[in-house]
Amino acid sequence: MKKRIIGSAIAVIVIAAGAWAAFHFFNKKDTQLTPSLNTTPVRKGTIEVKVSGTGSIQPSDREKIKASKAGTVLKAPFKEGDTVKKGDILVSYEEDDVSSQIRSKEIDLKKKQLDLNDLQTRFKQAPDDETRESLALNIQKQQLDIESTKEDIANLKTSKSIDPIVAPISGLLTTFTVKPGDTLNPNAELGEIVDYSQMKMVVGIDELDISKVQKDLEAEILVEALPNEKFTGKVVSIADEGTTSNGVASFDVTIALAEAKNLKVGMSAEASIMTAKKEDVLYVPVEAVQSAQGKYFVLVPSTTGQSGQAAQDGQTGRSGQSGQGQQGQWGQRGQGGPGGMPENFQNMTEEERAAMREQFMSGRGGPGTGNTANSGTTNATTTTRVEVEVGINNENSIEIVSGLKAGDMVVLPTVKSSSSSMNMPGGLGIGGAGGFPSGGGGAFQGGGTVRQFTNSGGARMGGGR
């Protein structure tokens, strides 16, 4: 008699525990009872690799104008704001007055010529050889003086003009105020020519990316002040020396813009340089790929375990065989697995769930047909490591050269689960209520009157009566 009382007490305790678990279960919304892996398929498409940098819009070229020599300005045909072409004369100098010097030299030349004629005459009339030798020497000296005077006259005639100042490039003349009559000093800065018809920008590229950048690579430019306009350009120069900041070196890369419409010097911009592009290739998110010892791997999902049999029309569902859960993710399952539930349970309204709870608590049970209940399962999702060969990658995607095919599922490093998910401790199976089948070893099975107490780890309750 004492043993029956103890046994009945145990049965009541187990049934109460099952009732609490069922009530808690039905009041949970969007509950997940099986582990969820965050997966994504292997896709096929285009991968673009870009290197980005920021900078400001600048004119493509600018040159300072300097005075070549000292002198007085004769003409200055252009003023500030004028557009000039390369080679245009910006400044011409007044000629130096050397006419008096030339006239003096010419008179001196005539005197020396007359002296030479006199020496030649005396040479012919010399009475002896000694006199002739002396006259011959004087004649040679006179001839040299005449040649020197002729050269002086020629230099004076050619040195009267100073080379004009010309435009070194085409562009807009800025800060230029030179006027006729101004006196210029050598190397004096007179103004500047700026080419606004073409624009460029200089961006700093990190030392880890600079090896990917080459001349003539295309670039897309986004100007902060003109967000609705798109600009393109090409790399025209790469700095040979970098600048270091906080231990990291960056290198200046100059990009010539294809169009300068609406652009102003000084506007902030960001350039994306296309360093690589592949079309029609397989790729996955870059975080899905792991590396070890120079090799690359991905995780793919796999499933193990068997399912319990569905209950039929109020009969008790048979226990499902134990499944191997994932250690550390859900805890290793003990005997039995989670019970089945209607396929549309997640889509039930709160009124329908309340009616189901009332059926269970009143002992009437549900319809218990195999058509409306899934088999209780003990399936557990695991992962398998697959070695792959990779190609190019950007910040989001990485190319898969071999090891996977399009459509294969790969596991991402995080597991997504709803906020209301229950993490069931290993060894506890949840049975079905009101005809819901369950795996063996659950806390309870179908709702109804107590029929017997078993040693499988929970009370068995007949469904539908």
Side-chain angles (χ1 to χ4, degrees), residues 92-110:
S92 59
Y93 289 90
E94 290 182 354
E95 296 181 358
D96 292 337
D97 187 7
V98 293
S99 57
S100 59
Q101 297 182 41
I102 294 174
R103 179 62 180 167
S104 176
K105 289 288 183 180
E106 289 176 342
I107 293 173
D108 185 49
L109 178 61
K110 287 181 178 181

Side-chain angles (χ1 to χ4, degrees), residues 189-203:
E189 291 190 4
L190 308 179
E192 191 176 39
I193 299 177
V194 184
D195 184 5
Y196 292 109
S197 63
Q198 293 183 332
M199 295 292 186
K200 68 179 181 180
M201 67 176 300
V202 180
V203 298

Side-chain angles (χ1 to χ4, degrees), residues 147-216:
E147 290 181 5
S148 177
T149 302
K150 288 180 178 180
E151 289 180 358
D152 289 342
I153 294 172
N155 288 335
L156 286 172
K157 288 181 178 181
T158 57
S159 63
K160 66 179 181 179
S161 61
I162 303 175
D163 293 337
I165 301 172
V166 299
I169 62 171
S170 298
L172 189 70
L173 194 60
T174 64
T175 63
F176 185 80
T177 58
V178 178
K179 301 182 296 297
D182 290 348
T183 300
L184 304 181
N185 295 319
N187 297 320
E189 291 190 4
L190 308 179
E192 191 176 39
I193 299 177
V194 184
D195 184 5
Y196 292 109
S197 63
Q198 293 183 332
M199 295 292 186
K200 68 179 181 180
M201 67 176 300
V202 180
V203 298
I205 301 299
D206 189 272
E207 59 184 324
L208 298 178
D209 295 325
I210 193 63
S211 60
K212 304 174 186 176
V213 181
Q214 298 177 359
K215 284 186 178 181
D216 296 328

Side-chain angles (χ1 to χ4, degrees), residues 222-290:
L222 176 63
V223 180
E224 186 175 346
L226 304 171
N228 297 325
E229 298 189 34
K230 294 183 179 180
F231 299 90
T232 60
K234 285 188 177 181
V235 175
V236 293
S237 66
I238 304 170
D240 293 324
E241 297 184 10
T243 57
T244 302
S245 176
N246 298 325
V248 179
S250 63
F251 295 79
D252 285 344
V253 174
T254 303
I255 301 171
L257 276 68
E259 187 178 357
K261 183 180 179 181
N262 298 328
L263 292 177
K264 300 292 184 182
V265 174
M267 285 183 172
S268 300
E270 180 180 4
S272 296
I273 304 170
M274 181 81 70
T275 60
K277 181 179 180 179
K278 284 189 177 182
E279 298 179 349
D280 200 30
V281 296
L282 300 178
Y283 66 91
V284 297
V286 68
E287 63 266 24
V289 178
Q290 306 171 7

